[in-house]
Amino acid sequence: FLQSAYLLRWNMAGSDAARAQEEQEPDAAEKADVALDVQGHEDEDDEQALLVGKLGKNFQLPEIPSAADRARGLVVNPDKDLPPEVVLSGPLARPQEPDKLERDLAEAAGFCSFAKVASRETLDLGASGLSALPSSFGRLQKLRKLKLEKNSLKELPSSFGSLSALQELDLSSNRLERLPESFSGLRKLQRLNLVKNELKELPSSFGRLTELRWLELQENCLECLPEDFGQLCALEMLRLEDNRLTGLPGCFGSLPKLRCFRAARNHLEELPESFGDLQALQVLHLEGNRLRRLPSSFSAGKLQALEDLDLSGNSMLWDELGDLDRFPKLSGLRLGPMNNIRFRLWQLASLAGCQRRAIVS
């Protein structure tokens, strides 16, 4: 044990309430392994003070009078900093100085302190050798554009969702295995790049990112999408190539602005019936999956905007497309390989009549 004593001071809403609570719970300090005495202090600005002695290496603040919950701030005796091996935690714990992660981040950003970083609206930390972000990262609430690509990040701090002004985020080429549930707090996010990570799933509340327009998730390990994915009502571009998806949520057709959807080289065996409701869809690339059939809604005549369709490398039959005249803007069609396709003469004629090009390979 360390024999030195440290004075923790905080300003209270009212000293009378604190004293009353102390009288009601005189043994509150005994709930910890260290002595904790409530004492007065000479400084008139401090209405209460705690003297902590014999601090252990893993000391945690014990349960103290509930009046402390109304504390407006806590400072450690500035004349005597706590040694690094003592870790304070609990409702009154505050970092005494920027931690190593904060210093590393500030250095990578080219600033002398984390406080300077917190004033930025744009921050480029790409290829900076970062393996973790400080827990205080959520304090950068002025950020609108953040680049963190080509680092070694495995996770994000829970405070990350507090970046409420963030509009563009690049986390590509990291080692992220998951996103915190707080991620849905990025309500103003419009562009998100998560290419080349190790994500197996997205947060269950991901659909709350209702301003998201551009989403790139290529080269991850995704096996499914959250059930609320259809709530991404502003989504225009979605890239999911080279994942492990076996299906799409039933609400997928509720993406009214989706113009481009690329999900090549997954394990998709079928599409949801709602897929035909994607009336803004212009580009659809599903090559290299395991599709054997298309939903009836696909050929129901709702996909009027479709221009580029790639279904090559699947096991489905041409019959599934139905009358190609139902896709009046179709100009690019890829369906190979040849031995997986059964042609119908009237379908080929409809392509030629509409000045389209069919690429069968």
Side-chain angles (χ1 to χ4, degrees), residues 120-285:
R120 303 288 297 177
E121 293 188 2
T122 300
L123 189 58
D124 188 348
L125 292 168
S128 298
L130 297 174
S131 59
L133 299 178
S135 59
S136 56
F137 197 83
R139 288 164 46 195
L140 308 181
Q141 296 188 7
K142 293 184 179 181
L143 275 181
R144 296 181 180 273
K145 184 176 181 178
L146 174 60
K147 300 186 67 177
L148 283 164
E149 77 280 7
K150 297 179 181 178
N151 283 287
S152 301
L153 300 174
K154 289 186 176 181
E155 61 180 3
L156 303 176
S158 58
S159 67
F160 200 89
S162 298
L163 303 176
S164 55
L166 197 61
Q167 297 178 0
E168 297 185 25
L169 174 59
D170 189 347
L171 283 163
S172 60
S173 299
N174 277 277
R175 300 167 62 187
L176 292 171
E177 298 176 357
R178 65 181 185 86
L179 300 176
E181 279 297 327
S182 65
F183 199 84
S184 60
L186 307 177
R187 299 299 177 85
K188 293 187 178 180
L189 194 62
Q190 297 181 16
R191 296 176 69 101
L192 174 58
N193 187 341
L194 286 162
V195 176
K196 292 186 179 179
N197 278 281
E198 300 173 16
L199 296 171
K200 293 183 178 180
E201 61 181 4
L202 299 176
S204 59
S205 56
F206 194 81
R208 296 179 185 175
L209 303 177
T210 54
E211 293 192 20
L212 191 62
R213 296 173 47 244
W214 194 284
L215 177 57
E216 296 179 90
L217 285 161
Q218 306 98 293
E219 297 183 56
N220 277 276
C221 305
L222 292 172
E223 299 177 358
C224 63
L225 299 177
E227 288 300 319
D228 69 346
F229 198 84
Q231 297 178 24
L232 299 175
C233 54
L235 194 63
E236 297 179 12
M237 199 281 295
L238 174 60
R239 299 196 63 172
L240 287 165
E241 299 103 306
D242 300 294
N243 277 277
R244 302 173 184 174
L245 295 170
T246 58
L248 301 174
C251 62
F252 195 83
S254 301
L255 301 172
K257 296 185 178 181
L258 189 63
R259 295 184 294 104
C260 178
F261 177 41
R262 298 174 183 263
R265 296 174 297 280
N266 277 273
H267 302 158
L268 295 173
E269 297 181 359
E270 61 180 6
L271 303 176
E273 188 60 37
S274 65
F275 199 89
D277 296 329
L278 299 172
Q279 298 186 32
L281 194 62
Q282 297 175 0
V283 177
L284 176 59
H285 284 201

Side-chain angles (χ1 to χ4, degrees), residues 11 55 92 185 313 359:
N11 297 324
L55 298 181
L92 294 181
I359 301 176

Side-chain angles (χ1 to χ4, degrees), residues 303-308 326-332 356:
L303 300 176
Q304 296 281 308
L306 193 60
E307 298 177 2
D308 188 358
R326 295 175 181 175
F327 308 104
K329 295 185 178 181
L330 190 64
S331 59
R356 301 166 184 155

